[in-house]
Structure formats: structure tokens, C-alpha cells
Amino acid sequence: MTRVDSLAREVFAGIANKWALLVINILGERTLRFTELRAEVEGISHKMLTQTLRGLERDGVVRRTVHPTVPPRVEYRLTEAGQALRGTVNGMCAWTRRYLDEIEGARRRFDARRADAAR
């Protein structure tokens, strides 16, 4: 396995979870503070949002800016790489919308075959 393949697997593992995808989508073209972001990501805990943002920042998807105020104001926004990734994620969402009926039909047929085989 090449270095690029290894890195790709690491990055994909970090972004291929529901929280990271939601954060990327919600940030979109906006800059948000932690509390604003948490309010928009339904169901995410403080700890999970912190972990998700750290991972996205480490991979260069999110930029964290700390403003020297009291208390410090911390903001998050997508980097150029994050914007490009968001485009890819939006493409995947568009694919899902386009093929939703086919996906649901395939799942029903698959589940029915498995249920028949289990009898």
C-alpha cells in the first residue's frame, strides 16, 4: 500500500461518520461558533462535537480561529479543502436523492430474500 492510499484510508475513516458529514454540511459557507454549531447538529454531545472538530481540523477540513477576547471566542469554518469535500458530499446526497426509489426497492427485495431463506 502506498503512502497516499494509507493517508486516504485514515482521512476517509475520519470523515465517513454521520457527525463529520453533518458538521461539514452545516458549516457550508458559514463561520460558526462552537455553541452555534452544536445547536444545529441535532443529538451531538459536547464531547463528540469536540472530537469531530479536532479530527476535521487535523485533516485540514476545518479551520479553528481563536479570537483574543475574554472569554476567548472560537470560530470554525471550512477550509478550501473542506469546501471541495463538501462538494463531494453534496454529490453523494444528490446521487441518493436521484436513486432513492431504486435503493429502497433493492433493500426491500434483499430483505425479503433473506427473510425467506431464514424460514
Side-chain angles (χ1 to χ4, degrees):
M1 178 176 353
T2 68
R3 181 172 171 264
V4 171
D5 292 336
S6 178
L7 181 60
R9 285 181 183 208
E10 285 180 37
V11 171
F12 294 154
I15 61 168
N17 69 67
K18 70 178 182 178
W19 300 123
L21 294 174
L22 284 171
V23 166
I24 290 165
N25 188 50
I26 287 170
L27 280 175
E29 304 283 336
R30 303 183 292 170
T31 298
L32 294 174
R33 295 178 71 174
F34 185 92
T35 53
E36 295 169 327
L37 192 51
R38 184 166 178 215
E40 291 203 34
V41 182
E42 188 175 329
I44 195 167
S45 68
H46 186 280
K47 179 182 177 182
M48 186 53 64
L49 180 55
T50 298
Q51 289 176 352
T52 300
L53 287 167
R54 283 183 184 156
L56 293 172
E57 182 183 8
R58 181 173 186 257
D59 288 336
V61 174
V62 167
R63 177 160 295 120
R64 179 178 184 263
T65 303
V66 180
H67 297 278
T69 59
V70 177
R73 189 176 86 238
V74 181
E75 296 177 330
Y76 298 89
R77 68 180 177 87
L78 294 180
T79 62
E80 181 181 335
Q83 288 292 345
L85 179 58
R86 183 171 171 258
T88 300
V89 170
N90 287 344
M92 292 167 54
C93 291
W95 173 86
T96 304
R97 282 190 298 276
R98 179 175 178 188
Y99 293 101
L100 180 63
D101 292 340
E102 289 87 343
I103 293 166
E104 289 178 333
R107 286 181 169 191
R108 281 192 301 275
R109 290 187 300 276
F110 179 88
D111 292 345
R113 284 193 310 272
R114 297 238 344 164
D116 288 344
R119 290 184 204 157

